[in-house]
Amino acid sequence: MADPLTLFTSIGLSEQKAKETLKNDALCSALKDAIAQAQRVLGASGVDKATGTLLYTMASRLRDPKRLGFLTDHIAQRKICTELQLAAALEFVKSHPQDPINQKEFESLCGVGVVITPEQVEDKVEKVIKKHKDQLLQERYRFNMGLLMGEARGGLMWADGKMIKNEVDIQVLHLLGPKTEADLEKKPKVTFHTATTWLSLMDELRGVALNFHKPGENYKTEGYVVTPKTMDLLKQHLEFTGGQIRTRFPPEPNGILHIGHAKAINFNFGYAKANDGICYLRYDDTNPEKEEEKYFTAIKDMVEWLGYKPYEITHASDNFQRLYDLAVDLIRRGHAYVCHQRGEELKGHNPPPSPWRERPAEESLVLFDRMRRGLFAEGEVTLRMKIVMEDGKMDPVAYRIKYTAHHRTGDAWCIYPTYDYTHCLCDSIENITHSLCTKEFQARRSSYFWLCNALDVYCPVQWEYGRLNLTYTVVSKRKIIKLVEEGTVRDWDDPRLFTLTALRRRGFPSEAINNFCAKVGVTVAQATMEPHMLESCVRDVLNDHAPRAMAVLEPLKVTITNLPEGIQNDVRVPDFPANEFMGSHVVPFTRTIFIEQSDFREVMEKGYKRLTPDQPVGLRHAGYVVSVQKVIKDAQGRVVELEVHCCSSHEAAEKPKAFIHWVSEPQKCEIRLYERLFLHKNPEDPSEVPGGFLSDINPNSLQVIDSALVDISVSKAKVFDKFQFERVGYFALDPDSTADKLVFNRTVTLKEDPGKM
């Protein structure tokens, strides 16, 4: 037989995938056995890429090695031809560990020999389209075609997906005709600030329910293991919940939530809300070394800031005694043991098996009690569960020793449960129906089900969705702490970060963040988005909700010579020029005003439409046009003041080419302008940034203007109040503001610039 690397690439694996497989001894051995058996059926060169992919998937997901030959035969004989059939086959052998396997039942549940004809597909799609015909005619090509696909596949389980899609496309085209210009227009943006548009996300989250199990029907989902007690436990669960959907948002209180958590919050709380359910905020507080009160408070604040109210706030630590009792039970049942291997011995792809794995339960019970009473040193012993996880990790740790006082329980405990042990059991205790988590936890789904079943407790269902990531940033807690310690940023809420507290401080409205999550969608695919897409959502909200004001960042003094000293006129400025019924404010207009330095040039240049000695300009909202009479300079030749003549815009010889903003009798303020914190799109990628993320800091990420001027309409603003400074950008009042000096953060510019953030 060829060497393993050549063998694996011969069946269609990439070289990188083949090398990764070689690092996992168990997977490598299983795959070699499967290929050898398939070649005996198909010949040495008969294993094509499609068959090879099925063999690899089977070998990597199969938990019972004695079924390897059985499934390999079905793949080699072309009885199992699709990923869908293979998933059903793996599920079947997992649910039927005892011999003999009922061949007829197996083939029936795996679709062996089932042939779906084009006529069947056509008939099913026709029925689905007829069901949604009215809505299709109303929404046309804006209708969610995935819904049609999902319902059609529901009645044709083993049909080819491409065949269904082609038939849906054909029948939709027949019903609606070709796309019109109106169909090709951009879909209206999803916003959260009206009752009508709020339904857009809610409807989407209701749609997700089509893919999820109904409460109490957990056993119908892929990978769910049915035990003799399952149906009784589900019955008790339904009696307790009344069939209500229950979700939870379970953050670790060891850092501030970031933009990725916003999707998790919207998914967990939003899914429950959309389906008349409830959602818990549960702190996963099992690591006392890193937990602080400020994180507990900030997490709750951010959930509520995004518009959600937890049904109840709970903590993993609420269940410490119950979790301990369940661990004792797990040992008694022979599913856990006390191990003396050190942490460093367990690192790497293939750590050595524990020599204490078969330790008698009675001995482990005594040692676990000694762990509980503090008779071992940290790292000396752990409690491990007897299970091989989907990623090949063997016997994950359930309890470890930490002599650190806990935020809530003090010194009551010196052993603390791990995530792998705690999470599913807390879900069970709270009768969660849908345990929603990001895709990286997919490898823990089997252990999630295993532990609940090993203890004979109610087993919820884990569903995974894609993470939301942004470019030009880091969100790792460890890395943000490093940025704070290095003095690169001030704290977790520095407006250059993408923590939720930082975004709030910068002035991002919570509605915009929710809209962004809706725009990304609730799909299971991982999404990596550009920051300017989030900025776009921010502009959409602020354009409707941020009142206008005028501010000058780099002031140039202007004296209007034909206005008398001491005379002040009041100028009324609309808060929202597009809708003057939404209010206005009054600003003074006197002999001395200030304009932006960039709004004046001594020498006229082609295309320049603002103030020059030869070109007058209008003043926004004032009804005046000003013309330069004299340019005053300092000793270095810099322009420090203009003397101008003004006249009513009605009296001007010709309409000015531009109207500029200005301030009079202004208030001095500090303006902070932000751009991207990192220079490269992926600052954590060594191929882009060999020196590490700390070497990629943008030296111009913060510019402070300490002598800007703003009109008095903002003088009574409260922290986080938002404004559009006309022609300059959107700004929010920073918590550093005092009665003597206001501080404004630029939230976003008025127009999109993908090159800046």
Side-chain angles (χ1 to χ4, degrees), residues 525-668:
Q526 180 164 304
T528 300
M529 312 297 287
E530 298 281 347
H532 67 83
M533 299 182 73
L534 175 56
E535 279 191 325
S536 176
C537 293
V538 171
R539 288 189 190 90
D540 289 341
V541 173
L542 291 181
N543 185 55
D544 293 337
H545 293 279
R548 277 45 168 177
M550 290 190 288
V552 173
L553 274 54
E554 296 179 317
L556 175 61
K557 183 179 179 182
V558 176
T559 300
I560 304 173
T561 57
N562 59 327
L563 281 185
E565 294 274 5
I567 297 295
Q568 175 180 310
N569 297 322
D570 288 336
V571 172
R572 185 162 293 279
V573 177
D575 293 335
F576 298 90
N579 185 353
E580 298 194 7
F581 294 105
M582 292 180 68
S584 61
H585 57 274
V586 172
V587 296
F589 184 82
T590 66
R591 176 183 172 89
T592 300
I593 64 172
F594 297 88
I595 66 171
E596 291 284 359
Q597 291 181 19
S598 59
D599 281 339
F600 170 75
R601 287 186 187 173
E602 267 195 283
V603 180
M604 182 68 180
E605 295 179 13
K606 185 177 180 181
Y608 187 74
K609 296 182 179 180
R610 285 163 278 175
L611 188 61
T612 73
D614 302 315
Q615 181 169 270
V617 73
L619 300 178
R620 288 178 66 82
H621 309 297
Y624 292 115
V625 176
V626 295
S627 304
V628 176
Q629 292 182 313
K630 183 178 181 181
V631 178
I632 301 171
K633 301 181 181 181
D634 63 11
Q636 286 74 41
R638 292 175 298 196
V639 177
V640 294
E641 184 179 351
L642 301 176
E643 290 184 355
V644 303
H645 179 277
C646 82
C647 67
S648 167
S649 56
H650 300 296
E651 299 172 358
E654 59 182 57
K655 184 178 179 180
K657 293 182 179 179
F659 286 82
I660 62 173
H661 63 283
W662 52 274
V663 292
S664 181
E665 300 289 333
Q667 182 165 347
K668 189 176 179 181

